[in-house]
Structure formats: C-alpha cells, structure tokens
Amino acid sequence: MATLSDLSLNRLALPAPLPLDSGRELPGVELAYETYGELAADKSNAILLFHALTMDQFVASENPLTGKPGWWHASVGPGKVIDTDRFFVICANVIGGCMGSTGPSSPGPEGKPWGMDFPVITIRDMVRAQVAMLDQLGIGRLHAVVGGSMGGMQALSFAANYPDRTGRVLAIATTARHSAQNIAFHEVGRQAIMADPEWQGGAYYDGGKGPEKGLSVARMAAHITYLSEAGLTEKFGRRLQDRASKTFGFDADFQIESYLRYQGLSFTNRFDANSYLYITRAMDYFDLAEEHGGMLADAFRKSDARFCLISFDTDWLYTTADMREVVHALNAVAAPVSFVELSAPFGHDSFLLDVPALDRVMKGFLE
C-alpha cells in the first residue's frame, strides 16, 4: 500500500498564520483538497463539502492511499445527487487531519512532525481554514455547504460564523453540540491510544508504525456507535465466524467480533493516531450555543441561507431530538428550514449508504 509521502496531492498554502480559538496561531497551513466539475464564470455554482471524522477530501474519486472509491462516490458526480455537470464541488481535508492538510504528522516550525506540540483545534478552526481557502480561490459566496456527522457540524458552524457566504445549508445526521455520551465514547478511544506503549507521548513518527493496537480499539469502539442494534442483529446476530461451535477461548468466535477487528486493523493503515486525538477533541469542544452567548438561536440570527436538516430514526449517536433542537433554534429566528427524519436500518452511517429517500431530499434541496 502507498504511503502519504508517495502521493501527489492537491495542496493550497494559506498566506498567513491561521488564528485559532485557543488564542494560538497555526503557521504554514496547507490544505489538501479535491474538486469536481467546473466553476462557473460568475462562481455561483460552488458547493463546499465537509467530511466526517474518518473521511477525507476524496469524495468521488479513488482514494490513492487505500485504492477504494471515494466515500460519497454514489452521490457526487455527473448526473448524480450532487450533479458535477452543474455544480463545482470542493472538499478539503480538515486541519488536524492526516491526508495532506496540516496536522500533527506535518512538519512543525523545527522541521520535524508536530506530534503533541500541535495546537488543539476546534470545528470553528477547521471552518476558518476552509474559508481562507475559498478566499484564495476567489469564491465569495457558495451555492451550498453540505456535510454529514462532523461534516454537518462544520456546515452549521459555517452558517453561524460566515452567514453571508452561502445560500443553502444541508446538514445531515449531526448536532449543534456534543453530548456527555458522545464525549465519553471519544474519551474511551483516546485513552486506548494513549495507553498503547507505542504511542510514546505522540512522538512515534520515527519509530515504526505507532500505536496501532490502541488506534484499532478506538476505531472499534467508535464504529459501534455508527451502527444500529437492528442493523447489527440483521447482519450478524449471534452467528459464529467460520466455525461450527464456540472455542471456549478468546478468538473471534462471533461474526461481529471478526468484523470489528477487521474495521480496527484496516483503519490503522490509513489514519494517524494523533490526528484521531485532535479531531475527536475538536468534536467534543463543539457547542454552537456556547460560541454565541449561550443561545443557539443567536448562532443563526444573521444568516440569510435556506436550511435543510436530515436525521435518521436509527441513529443513536446524533439523534432526531438533537437535530430538532437546531430546527427549533432556526424557527426562533424565522430562518427558512426544512426538516425530515428518514427511516433507514443503518444507524448513524445511513448518510453514507444507499437510502433513496435521502437522495431525493438532497437533490430537491440543492436544485
């Protein structure tokens, strides 16, 4: 498998240090990004796509690191839900990431990887960097911002902090703040990484593969939250993995155990453990109401965009109740908003999978 250093990625350097919510500045920021379609002469057809926690900029093209199709290749492309015959689609790897944008594995001021000297970032910092990217590209106002999960957080943050820079906001399976349960699951993952002796306080870049066992466990724990109980029961139940009876040991007797182990191990081939620490912390800090004086409605008071919010009935990570809270805040400031709860058996991951009703809602809203 190729490594990141083997790849030729599209990168854009920001012209000035990026101010951060922590009060620090991040110098020498680069954003790795992909684009699809053609930008109209008046630049009115641009859509900024925000990716989720473990995704990257390769939305609709083959991921050069894994060789797999882009994470939303079924939805983005010519004639598809987000039609690249009509729209110019941009997606950037977030700062703090590990697919070419500046993050913990990037060279710091002294030329060696930042590691844990990288500053703690927020969702708003991620958005701030991408707005600076839009400025570099000469795009003043977007047709739409679109995102699911952490990408939806970024879409809502964009609307709140840059209210005049998009005409539409499409946020899917997301929330305006992380709950105690969300933070708890992330903390389990972070502690698994930091308890791995190979983590070495984050300074593992010159010493082999790093905390693969800890990162694998973190991914396993998180992956459970992306699924639904009904979906797990239907797909795996209590069926055994390649055996007729239990071993009365600690091998992966059950199919679900084997599946989670595969998910964990494959994740370590494409994701940096320190990036996982920083990005999950950014998600935990996310609280739009807190950023705007304690009133969620005030976050959207200046926006002139149209909103569409979509939840799924089996998503227990970011629930329909979480999204209704955002809808109520938008209603409080008379913002034009559509909201729909869709039925799908896939849990939180429904926004990434084949849900025809989702396609219809998205396409109708973006037209």
Side-chain angles (χ1 to χ4, degrees):
M1 181 179 291
T3 63
L4 189 60
S5 60
D6 297 327
L7 305 179
S8 177
L9 302 175
N10 298 320
R11 286 187 173 96
L12 182 148
L14 300 188
L18 183 72
L20 303 175
D21 284 350
S22 66
R24 295 180 61 181
E25 287 187 334
L26 184 60
V29 174
E30 289 187 332
L31 289 178
Y33 68 100
E34 289 290 300
T35 64
Y36 307 88
E38 298 292 332
L39 185 62
D42 63 359
K43 302 182 179 180
S44 64
N45 68 331
I47 291 178
L48 182 59
L49 267 182
F50 297 109
H51 69 75
L53 165 58
T54 62
M55 305 303 172
D56 49 46
Q57 67 270 35
F58 294 100
V59 178
S61 49
E62 180 182 286
N63 187 302
L65 195 59
T66 66
K68 294 182 178 181
W71 53 270
W72 234 7
H73 67 96
S75 298
V76 178
K80 296 183 179 181
V81 176
I82 302 179
D83 187 356
T84 54
D85 285 335
R86 176 179 175 187
F87 298 117
F88 177 67
V89 178
I90 314 160
C91 186
N93 187 215
V94 296
I95 58 167
C98 52
M99 201 60 189
S101 290
T102 299
S105 60
S106 304
E110 298 179 0
K112 61 182 181 179
W114 278 95
M116 296 304 286
D117 289 330
F118 193 75
V120 172
I121 54 172
T122 66
I123 296 295
R124 183 161 52 181
D125 292 333
M126 295 175 182
V127 172
R128 188 179 290 120
Q130 294 184 66
V131 169
M133 177 188 70
L134 293 177
D135 292 342
Q136 287 281 92
L137 297 174
I139 298 173
R141 184 174 170 89
L142 296 160
H143 177 77
V145 292
V146 179
S149 192
M150 186 184 83
M153 296 179 190
Q154 293 173 77
L156 294 176
S157 180
F158 188 102
N161 292 290
Y162 303 93
D164 59 344
R165 297 204 59 167
T166 185
R168 291 171 174 82
V169 178
L170 177 54
I172 311 166
T174 194
T175 182
R177 65 177 178 182
H178 246 199
S179 68
Q181 178 175 264
N182 300 145
I183 296 168
F185 273 108
H186 277 173
E187 178 63 3
V188 169
R190 287 191 294 265
Q191 288 300 317
I193 290 169
M194 292 188 285
D196 188 324
E198 297 300 320
W199 181 57
Q200 300 177 62
Y204 53 81
Y205 294 106
D206 295 328
K209 294 184 177 181
E212 290 189 342
K213 292 179 181 178
L215 180 58
S216 178
V217 171
R219 173 62 169 175
M220 290 169 66
H223 197 74
I224 295 168
T225 71
Y226 305 152
L227 309 174
S228 71
E229 182 179 6
L232 283 170
T233 300
E234 179 179 353
K235 188 172 183 178
F236 301 108
R238 290 181 53 84
R239 291 185 289 277
L240 299 180
Q241 177 70 26
D242 299 329
R243 63 201 65 191
S245 61
K246 303 180 185 72
T247 64
F248 292 92
F250 294 96
D251 269 347
D253 274 5
F254 295 99
Q255 289 181 6
I256 182 58
E257 293 174 320
S258 179
Y259 171 76
L260 286 175
R261 291 184 187 189
Y262 169 78
Q263 289 292 331
L265 289 172
S266 61
F267 186 60
T268 65
N269 291 326
R270 67 177 181 88
F271 214 85
D272 176 59
N274 283 341
S275 281
Y276 195 85
L277 298 179
Y278 276 89
I279 296 174
T280 57
R281 179 49 103 197
M283 295 173 72
D284 291 347
Y285 280 166
F286 184 62
D287 186 341
L288 264 183
E290 182 182 72
E291 291 177 9
H292 293 83
M295 291 288 293
L296 184 56
D298 287 344
F300 305 111
R301 195 171 297 279
K302 296 180 180 179
S303 177
D304 62 358
R306 292 170 49 203
F307 290 79
C308 179
L309 274 63
I310 304 171
S311 70
F312 298 98
D313 59 354
T314 55
D315 185 351
W316 58 276
L317 183 63
Y318 302 135
T319 67
T320 294
D322 292 329
M323 299 207 69
R324 282 203 178 105
E325 184 179 1
V326 183
V327 174
H328 293 158
L330 289 163
N331 287 335
V333 294
V337 55
S338 302
F339 169 64
V340 60
E341 179 191 54
L342 300 179
S343 182
F346 311 116
H348 180 65
D349 268 355
S350 295
F351 77 99
L352 298 170
L353 300 172
D354 183 19
V355 180
L358 173 63
D359 294 345
R360 291 193 294 271
V361 174
M362 289 175 58
K363 188 173 180 65
F365 179 71
L366 292 174
E367 289 296 326

